[in-house]
Amino acid sequence: MNVFTSKTELTKFLEQERIKDKNIGFVPTMGALHQGHLSLIQESRKRTNLTVCSIYVNPTQFNVKSDLENYPRNTEKDIELLVSENCDVCFLPNTNDVYPNGVSKLLEINLSGLDKRMEGERRSGHFDGVVTVVNNLFEIINPDIAFFGEKDFQQLAVIRKMTQVLNMNVEIVGCPIIREPDGLAMSSRNERLTRHERLAATFIYNTLLATKNLNGSIQEKKDFVIKQFENHALFKLDYFDITSEKNLTACIEEPSKLTRAFIAAFIGKVRLIDNIALNN
Ligand code: PAF
């Protein structure tokens, strides 16, 4: 695997590969890699003939400073994992390369409100930081296909929208959530859970599953989830929402189209998110 820390070196390398007619798959990450990320690398390797994985903890998408400071970092282990997946390129950029105009210069685009609900409402400015870093990384790498996990389903929708609005020539592929054997969605944040919290954390997925199987109206499903969390000693619900998959608008009546249920909740100091498709 080639490891690049400089944008110039990476772009030189990719230009050479493109001449050989290689199509480029891109998996942007913030490191602390787990099986969820590796499933994206695997998908990229199936669909393209050169896979680039970037590892960059993006400062502009954290609205809480301590969250950025406490974000798990383990580049050595990440590189070992990427090598074991036969990833072709690991890009470890510095902030000057990612933000040539400075971190205060964020992309301003109209995302048709996709960035305003749920995560966008709770984490002010979060999606401005996400679209900026992804756009800047796309400019450097110029991938044919980019891969994102459905665990951050809203992020996936926001990035799809960004590529439409900016008329970008890149295919966005969403990949299924990878779960631990007890159902907890894999996330770099899981590393921050205490043993006790980790054991309890399966509650989020179990609640989503119970909601999916509950034969009731949207309001009944919402009431059910709120009650479940009220009765839980460790979890505090941040939000529960049921929305259309396409435009993430809230469903009020029984949905006829594809819908998803979303949960964000705190356990101790850690905020976890998860989601589930309701009609399949
Ligand atoms: O999903 C993530 O890890 C990040 O939001 C991303 C897409 C790498 C942008 O920093």
Side-chain angles (χ1 to χ4, degrees):
M1 183 173 73
N2 291 287
V3 179
F4 293 96
T5 51
S6 133
K7 165 177 151 179
T8 323
E9 295 295 316
L10 173 69
T11 47
K12 221 191 283 166
F13 173 82
L14 291 178
E15 265 164 35
Q16 290 304 314
E17 293 301 307
R18 248 185 229 101
I19 294 169
K20 299 179 204 157
D21 252 4
K22 293 219 170 148
N23 69 335
I24 294 171
F26 177 41
V27 179
T29 80
M30 297 206 296
L33 301 182
H34 50 68
Q35 287 303 320
H37 297 110
L38 301 186
S39 73
L40 306 181
I41 303 285
Q42 288 155 12
E43 197 55 32
S44 173
R45 292 198 66 246
K46 268 189 225 153
R47 294 191 189 216
T48 67
N49 35 41
L50 193 145
T51 295
V52 180
C53 174
S54 65
I55 299 176
Y56 177 69
V57 182
N58 174 33
T60 65
Q61 70 187 74
F62 291 85
N63 55 332
V64 177
K65 206 171 154 226
S66 60
D67 209 12
L68 170 62
E69 283 161 3
N70 294 327
Y71 201 84
R73 291 161 171 89
N74 195 341
T75 312
E76 242 170 70
K77 185 171 161 231
D78 289 344
I79 290 178
E80 274 172 29
L81 287 170
L82 292 175
V83 168
S84 72
E85 290 299 330
N86 295 314
C87 182
D88 301 288
V89 172
C90 172
F91 182 38
L92 304 167
N94 58 51
T95 296
N96 288 339
D97 276 349
V98 180
Y99 288 94
N101 303 317
V103 285
S104 54
K105 187 95 189 81
L106 299 187
L107 193 63
E108 285 174 27
I109 51 169
N110 183 350
L111 295 160
S112 304
L114 281 175
D115 55 330
K116 297 286 182 273
R117 309 191 61 238
M118 299 192 288
E119 291 303 294
E121 198 176 332
R122 296 337 187 268
R123 303 174 65 191
S124 167
H126 169 66
F127 287 120
D128 298 334
V130 170
V131 291
T132 305
V133 77
V134 172
N135 175 62
N136 293 0
L137 289 167
F138 280 3
E139 271 178 13
I140 298 171
I141 291 152
N142 193 11
D144 297 283
I145 315 184
F147 299 82
F148 295 86
E150 286 186 345
K151 182 179 153 283
D152 295 297
F153 197 87
Q154 189 176 9
Q155 166 172 281
L156 175 60
V158 160
I159 288 165
R160 278 212 171 99
K161 188 77 192 172
M162 172 188 85
T163 61
Q164 279 168 21
V165 173
L166 299 179
N167 209 3
M168 289 173 150
N169 200 10
V170 51
E171 184 188 345
I172 303 298
V173 171
C175 300
I177 299 174
I178 305 294
R179 299 184 178 279
E180 299 285 357
D182 69 352
L184 176 67
M186 290 199 183
S187 164
S188 309
R189 283 164 204 266
N190 297 351
E191 284 185 25
R192 292 177 54 203
L193 299 172
T194 64
R195 222 175 97 75
H196 186 48
E197 288 166 350
R198 170 62 193 86
L199 286 172
T202 181
F203 172 71
I204 296 193
Y205 182 56
N206 289 341
T207 306
L208 281 173
L209 268 185
T211 314
K212 181 177 170 122
N213 295 330
L214 187 100
N215 213 350
S217 67
I218 299 265
Q219 193 53 52
E220 280 163 343
K221 287 180 196 282
K222 285 187 175 172
D223 293 344
F224 166 77
V225 171
I226 289 168
K227 208 167 202 92
Q228 291 293 105
F229 274 86
E230 274 171 3
N231 293 335
H232 200 284
L234 295 181
F235 269 106
K236 189 173 164 290
L237 184 63
D238 193 12
Y239 65 78
F240 173 72
D241 218 338
I242 296 180
T243 79
S244 84
E245 283 204 349
K246 195 159 180 279
N247 52 19
L248 301 185
T249 49
C251 296
I252 301 156
E253 300 298 334
E254 255 327 283
S256 55
K257 299 214 179 78
L258 286 180
T259 51
R260 247 174 213 258
F262 295 84
I263 283 182
F266 289 96
I267 180 161
K269 291 191 178 115
V270 184
R271 185 174 182 275
L272 299 176
I273 61 170
D274 200 353
N275 67 80
I276 196 167
L278 292 182
N279 359 34
N280 56 30

